[in-house]
Amino acid sequence: MRPRDLVTGLADLVLGARCPGCGRPAPGACEQCVAGVVAVRPFPVPGLPSGLPPVLAGGWYDGELRQLVLAAKEREALGVVGLLGGRVAAAAAAWLLATGHGGPVVLVPVPSSRAGVAARGLDLPWALAGAAAARLRAAGAAASRWRGLRLVRAPRDQSELGRGERLANLAGALRGVARPPDGVPVVVDDIVTTGATLAEAVRAGSVAGWVPGAAAVVAATPLRGGAR
Ligand SMILES: [Zn+2]
């Protein structure tokens, strides 16, 4: 156990654990937050640039789902990775149902920077893809996780960048690995905002000889005035 986890764990004992979604006292995500998150039907994300395969999200990046994603990212709530991975699985399942695709599905997580993984101790997209593959297999679908995208260089933090700046920031940042396992590749990420990361993933995969059939994300950033 890392010191920060120990501190958090001891503080939980003293103060009482709180739900990372809403802050109510609860050991992990509370029943209300879980119920609210899983009640959302996965949907195709609107307003993304053309040229992307269908992008399905398990919810909007808002409210309790936003708080849960942030908590998982900051490694404050590892217990919610299974819940969030379930949203990725639901998004992938919605695409399989809509297209009649029988699988197998190869979940390809967007790579995290080494610095980010070192700081957080968690590669969230990789963990989400693992949890989602397990959920899909439990539902009877053939699904695996594959490290088919590598980071060539670490892009700048793009939270403050617009779509054009993000595209420039990410161009050439990823490299696709050749010869994916048998199945249709589905790119996995935690959040989609402008779609720039997914566009770079599709480009890198295409160069390596494979084309994602879809992308599945936990949550989509809501449109602001109809634009991303
Ligand atoms: Zn809650």
Side-chain angles (χ1 to χ4, degrees), residues 18-24 26 28-34 64 68:
R18 296 198 171 270
C19 166
C22 65
R24 287 191 195 96
C30 73
E31 279 178 32
Q32 290 96 321
C33 282
V34 172
E64 72 250 7
L68 291 166

Side-chain angles (χ1 to χ4, degrees), residues 45-127:
V45 179
L48 291 173
S50 59
L52 283 179
V55 179
L56 286 104
W60 291 107
Y61 189 57
D62 215 347
E64 72 250 7
L65 184 56
R66 179 169 179 272
Q67 294 306 319
L68 291 166
V69 170
L70 286 171
K73 276 192 162 198
E74 296 310 322
R75 206 172 183 273
E76 287 164 0
L78 289 182
V80 305
V81 168
L83 174 66
L84 301 180
R87 292 285 77 201
V88 172
W95 177 73
L96 289 169
L97 279 173
T99 58
H101 203 293
V105 176
V106 179
L107 298 179
V108 188
V110 167
S112 302
S113 74
R114 285 208 186 122
V117 173
R120 290 170 176 151
L122 173 72
D123 182 343
L124 185 57
W126 175 253

Side-chain angles (χ1 to χ4, degrees), residues 163-192:
R163 180 194 278 184
E165 292 169 311
R166 287 186 186 216
L167 283 171
N169 184 36
L170 284 163
L174 300 182
R175 180 175 60 79
V177 178
R179 292 186 294 279
D182 184 36
V184 58
V186 171
V187 176
V188 170
D189 206 354
D190 47 7
I191 307 159
V192 60

